[in-house]
Amino acid sequence: MNPHMFSQPANLRDMQITDSFWLREMELVRNNVIPYQWDALNDRVPGAAPSWCMHNFRAAGLQQQRIREQGSQWQAPVYAYRGFNVLPEEGEEPDPDAFYGFVFQDTDFSKWIEAVGYSLARKPDPCLEEIADGAIDVVCSAQDENGYLDTYYLLHGMDRAFKYLKDHHELYCLGHLIEGAVSYYQATGKDKLLRAACRFADYVAQLFGYGEEQCKGYPGHEIAEMALMRLYEVTGEERYRDLANFFLDQRGTQPHYFDAEGHERAEYEKRAFRPGEYSYYQAHKPVREQDEAVGHAVRAMYLYSGMADAARINQDESMLEACRRLWRSTVRDKLYVTGGVGGTEVGEAFSFPFDLPNDLAYSETCAAIGLAFFARRMLQLEPISQYADVMELALYNTVLAGMALDGRSFFYVNPLSVLPEACRRDKRFQHVKPVRQKWFGCACCPPNIARIVSSVGAYAWTKTEDTLFTHLYMGGSVKFRGLTLEITTGMPWSGDGEAVVHAAAPVSATLAFRLPGWSRGAQVLCEGKTMEIRDGYCYLSGLWQEGDTVRLRFPMRIRMLTADTRVRENTGKVAFMRGPVTYCMEEKDNGAAMHLLLADAEAAERAQVLDGEIEGHPVKLLRVPGRREKPRAGDELYQDYTAPEYERTELTLIPYYAWANRGEGEMNVWVRV
Ligand code: FUB
Ligand code: ZN
């Protein structure tokens, strides 16, 4: 562990992204997704499942008002517990005082405001800020006098608050609230929401801890850990770091808190206690002893991110070791070639090593986002280019595939092979959608995309006292120690680019550039500086002056990849990548029955890269020599074997992130060879 190398993300207000690829995504989020999501949060999207999010905050705000007005006369309404997802009964008019939606519905707002904050940090917008301030007023009006702020319990009655840590999401709501509040504060300097988040965190910090009277529990769905660490870094208040450490250190210890909670719950519900399987929650053992990425994939990624923050902030070697092991398990054994994670729908979870089904994949958009969180935090701890390679893979592929090119519909699940008929007719595929959806009752993914896309610059650059790291290449500029580094690049279609220094006076600094793992013969060229290559980064140190130029030469070739043979699904198949972009075939270009298509063994050398356009969005297409196996359909299902016959053809591949933008059809990432 080398604390001298610990880095912090560059401030979004110190950078400008002008990149034609990422700026488009950011503008899409700013102009389409954020307003659309605001409508969704207010249940104003025709034909989409209602969110109930702002409804709940308004209802809880009204309740707070009544409490204030009626004082001790006020009688809390008694609503029967109606489950994890509360919906109005068939034909019932929604009750303006009641809670609806998932137990974590508040987080729709928190993720939205987080994206708004990042977007405002990039580009002020008084109109948007006014809407956001209004929303913050509504949210803050719902907060209890003691600081508690989760509308599910505020509206259902507080007697059972914090009694379902394993399955309900109060601490998850706290985590997202903190993330949103910090983002908005950093962008605007306005601290109303930050103060509300601190009050909620303070309340939780009083209740949870090692004290005799305090609760020994921790979140069933992680995120509070990394959020509290962030709150600590922003406010300097040690109690937030201590609370995060408490949650991490308690997790999975014996006697098991979830057992104790389960007994209490069973008694309350007058039923027998059912012992649980806690690996779903990554609580099967203490975090420092964990070595395999298991359970619900989003939870896992958020936990590991919090652990990486803790390792850095506490300079905790054993925590770092655990993070390294979990990283390796994730990317060595359980990562899709699209940068997605989570092989099974059962529990939205990781499966066993190398179990990476293409058509039944879960690969939730949020999990890929979580992987990028984890990767960036590992980079902050130790700048090793593999972390950035994986972060880039997740961002350019599964994260972007989660959103349509027009920003108006979304994928929750990101399969690597789709047969629309199977999605319609086979219940095993009910989680797989062949087209993006406008919104989801459980709308975790769309606002998560909005927040990561709006803050992508914080993944591109991190800095120490004397070193600025460029992890991802995107056009734009970033300020560092009195200089501005301006990058031009053709990414993701060309690896060549340039970084030019602007400085009024010479600045002594180190500029570190990642050598992308996908590039063979990557070169960073610069005159007059000391150069060192370490862990996949090129470090250039010296006195930087106006006009100093670093040339980036990252040859980009078509790569034809084969999987470890333990990935049973992919034996005899290949996947194509170019730079950080993973490709796929769509029925629209290749016809139906794509399982009969084969790529030639030497396809990578003979493939062509073509300029194309998908829904007005410029892309590079791949044209790959291959064959089509002649169909064999007779009277009998089974026949005596004869060698298959093939006809020559060319396969057309498009970037995976752009699939399903031209109607419904088959899609395959892995192709027979
Ligand atoms: O439980 C909250 C969120 O909903 C999870 O992160 C997602 O996987 C979805 O289950
Ligand atoms: Zn999600």
Side-chain angles (χ1 to χ4, degrees):
M1 170 169 281
N2 180 1
H4 177 69
M5 295 305 283
F6 290 176
S7 65
Q8 287 289 354
N11 190 327
L12 294 180
R13 289 166 66 159
D14 288 342
M15 63 180 74
Q16 240 192 333
I17 292 175
T18 50
D19 188 269
S20 59
F21 188 89
W22 281 105
L23 188 61
R24 180 191 168 278
E25 296 291 337
M26 291 166 113
E27 288 287 313
L28 206 59
V29 165
R30 170 64 200 88
N31 298 326
N32 293 347
V33 183
I34 288 176
Y36 180 80
Q37 290 183 345
W38 177 236
D39 282 342
L41 260 51
N42 285 285
D43 310 328
R44 295 194 295 245
V45 178
S51 154
W52 304 109
C53 177
M54 294 313 288
H55 160 97
N56 294 334
F57 281 115
R58 283 194 190 94
L62 267 176
Q63 179 176 281
Q64 288 302 317
Q65 192 183 325
R66 288 187 198 125
I67 295 173
R68 278 193 302 276
E69 286 166 4
Q70 297 170 27
S72 58
Q73 306 292 307
W74 189 75
Q75 292 263 306
V78 182
Y79 286 102
Y81 170 65
R82 287 165 71 184
F84 195 73
N85 184 16
V86 188
L87 297 174
E89 300 292 346
E90 190 79 28
E92 178 196 56
E93 268 300 300
D95 175 350
D97 291 335
F99 178 96
Y100 295 111
F102 283 94
V103 289
F104 50 84
Q105 211 67 44
D106 291 4
T107 58
D108 284 10
F109 159 79
S110 303
K111 289 188 209 168
W112 177 79
I113 198 76
E114 190 180 337
V116 169
Y118 298 142
S119 184
L120 292 176
R122 180 174 70 82
K123 193 162 88 177
D125 177 340
C127 253
L128 177 61
E129 202 170 319
E130 200 181 314
I131 294 172
D133 287 341
I136 289 171
D137 288 343
V138 172
V139 168
C140 291
S141 75
Q143 187 161 32
D144 196 273
E145 218 179 321
N146 62 17
Y148 185 87
L149 183 45
D150 179 331
T151 64
Y152 182 83
Y153 282 99
L154 286 168
L155 292 171
H156 274 102
M158 292 294 295
D159 52 323
R160 300 298 292 159
F162 297 123
K163 296 265 193 272
Y164 302 87
L165 293 180
K166 178 167 75 69
D167 298 313
H168 285 190
H169 286 54
E170 287 153 293
L171 297 173
Y172 172 78
C173 289
L174 168 70
H176 271 300
L177 183 69
I178 293 172
E179 294 279 353
V182 170
S183 159
Y184 197 69
Y185 166 70
Q186 288 180 329
T188 62
K190 293 180 181 167
D191 68 353
K192 182 168 182 175
L193 192 63
L194 185 69
R195 280 186 284 118
C198 287
R199 284 180 59 214
F200 191 11
D202 291 340
Y203 179 65
V204 172
Q206 273 170 30
L207 292 180
F208 289 78
Y210 295 108
E212 231 170 79
E213 299 295 309
Q214 287 178 300
C215 175
K216 302 292 173 292
Y218 40 85
H221 192 315
E222 304 90 329
I223 189 182
E225 301 79 359
M226 64 169 145
L228 284 162
M229 286 300 187
R230 188 171 178 197
L231 192 61
Y232 159 66
E233 294 201 290
V234 169
T235 62
E237 296 291 349
E238 290 179 3
R239 61 185 179 280
Y240 302 135
R241 179 199 60 196
D242 295 347
L243 182 58
N245 284 335
F246 170 80
F247 286 153
L248 289 170
D249 291 339
Q250 275 298 108
R251 193 168 205 89
T253 56
Q254 294 294 343
H256 208 287
Y257 181 79
F258 289 164
D259 280 342
E261 183 181 86
H263 278 291
E264 194 276 343
R265 185 172 172 177
E267 208 170 291
Y268 179 79
E269 291 167 10
K270 300 193 177 34
R271 57 164 176 81
F273 166 65
R274 288 186 291 268
E277 208 332 327
Y278 301 137
S279 55
Y280 168 84
Y281 309 89
Q282 300 77 41
H284 51 304
K285 40 176 145 164
V287 297
R288 285 181 187 73
E289 292 169 27
Q290 298 191 20
D291 49 16
E292 183 179 350
V294 291
H296 184 268
V298 182
R299 289 172 207 239
M301 292 300 110
Y302 287 8
L303 171 66
Y304 308 159
S305 300
M307 288 167 64
D309 282 338
R312 177 175 53 81
I313 288 169
N314 303 325
Q315 299 191 19
D316 181 335
E317 191 72 55
S318 61
M319 192 68 99
L320 173 57
E321 270 309 318
C323 289
R324 287 182 183 135
R325 288 195 302 273
L326 292 165
W327 173 267
R328 187 168 163 76
S329 162
T330 305
V331 309
R332 173 64 187 87
D333 303 348
K334 303 194 178 193
L335 177 69
Y336 281 105
V337 73
T338 48
V341 286
T344 171
E345 188 225 352
V346 182
E348 308 185 302
F350 282 103
S351 186
F352 57 90
F354 311 106
D355 187 40
L356 292 163
N358 294 319
D359 53 0
L360 283 168
Y362 204 71
S363 184
E364 182 179 340
T365 308
C366 288
I369 292 169
L371 178 59
F373 293 165
F374 183 25
R376 210 275 312 277
R377 283 162 174 80
M378 292 307 285
L379 281 170
Q380 286 180 249
L381 272 160
E382 43 188 23
I384 298 174
S385 62
Q386 193 211 30
Y387 298 129
D389 287 338
V390 172
M391 179 168 81
E392 184 181 62
L393 183 75
L395 284 170
Y396 274 107
N397 299 291
T398 300
V399 175
L400 288 185
M403 180 168 72
L405 290 172
D406 65 4
R408 290 180 198 278
S409 55
F410 306 90
F411 275 136
Y412 187 127
V413 164
N414 295 280
L416 286 81
S417 173
V418 163
L419 181 67
E421 188 181 5
C423 302
R424 277 194 303 274
R425 301 185 58 177
D426 184 341
K427 284 215 161 53
R428 286 171 304 170
F429 291 91
Q430 62 190 1
H431 61 290
V432 179
K433 304 281 177 255
V435 289
R436 291 180 183 81
Q437 310 290 294
K438 278 175 139 181
W439 199 249
F440 307 88
C442 171
C444 50
C445 303
N448 236 352
I449 301 174
R451 67 185 182 126
I452 198 161
V453 166
S454 313
S455 58
V456 73
Y459 297 78
W461 294 288
T462 66
K463 55 186 186 175
T464 67
E465 196 55 30
D466 52 20
T467 305
L468 175 69
F469 288 95
T470 300
H471 303 294
L472 303 175
Y473 292 95
M474 52 188 73
S477 59
V478 56
K479 292 186 187 143
F480 178 65
R481 282 169 70 103
L483 63 75
T484 300
L485 185 69
E486 192 187 348
I487 298 198
T488 43
T489 168
M491 284 286 286
W493 313 121
S494 148
D496 289 346
E498 218 168 59
V500 178
V501 168
H502 299 288
V507 175
S508 163
T510 299
L511 301 180
F513 296 90
R514 162 177 155 250
L515 302 168
W518 43 258
S519 181
R520 213 181 265 160
Q523 279 183 304
V524 172
L525 307 164
C526 181
E527 280 165 19
K529 304 286 179 287
T530 315
M531 181 184 286
E532 191 192 350
I533 309 276
R534 209 180 331 128
D535 294 329
Y537 282 81
C538 175
Y539 291 79
L540 297 169
S541 306
L543 209 55
W544 295 90
Q545 324 212 27
E546 174 64 31
D548 279 351
T549 300
V550 180
R551 275 188 296 281
L552 309 165
R553 297 282 172 266
F554 304 144
M556 201 179 261
R557 66 199 162 94
I558 298 171
R559 288 187 303 152
M560 190 162 100
L561 302 176
T562 169
D564 185 309
T565 48
R566 286 170 288 185
V567 184
R568 302 171 318 281
E569 288 246 340
N570 294 340
T571 40
K573 293 184 184 167
V574 291
F576 289 88
M577 288 193 71
R578 186 168 178 275
V581 176
T582 304
Y583 278 78
C584 69
M585 298 189 296
E586 276 201 303
E587 180 178 338
K588 174 105 181 156
D589 307 302
N590 300 286
M594 289 201 306
H595 62 287
L596 295 177
L597 291 175
L598 294 86
D600 286 355
E602 68 284 6
E605 294 86 67
R606 295 190 20 229
Q608 291 167 273
V609 183
L610 305 171
D611 287 321
E613 213 182 69
I614 297 183
E615 297 300 282
H617 171 76
V619 293
K620 296 278 183 207
L621 306 173
L622 304 185
R623 189 67 50 78
V624 168
R627 293 157 202 222
R628 178 180 287 276
E629 184 177 332
K630 289 200 177 149
R632 231 196 285 229
D635 293 341
E636 303 293 329
L637 187 53
Y638 303 107
Q639 300 142 30
D640 286 327
Y641 176 81
T642 52
E645 290 174 38
Y646 302 96
E647 62 191 30
R648 289 226 141 266
T649 187
E650 281 191 322
L651 319 180
T652 301
L653 292 102
I654 66 161
Y656 175 74
Y657 73 78
W659 86 275
N661 278 283
R662 300 173 294 171
E664 188 180 289
E666 291 178 31
M667 183 276 289
N668 275 341
V669 169
W670 289 93
V671 191
R672 291 165 60 194
V673 66

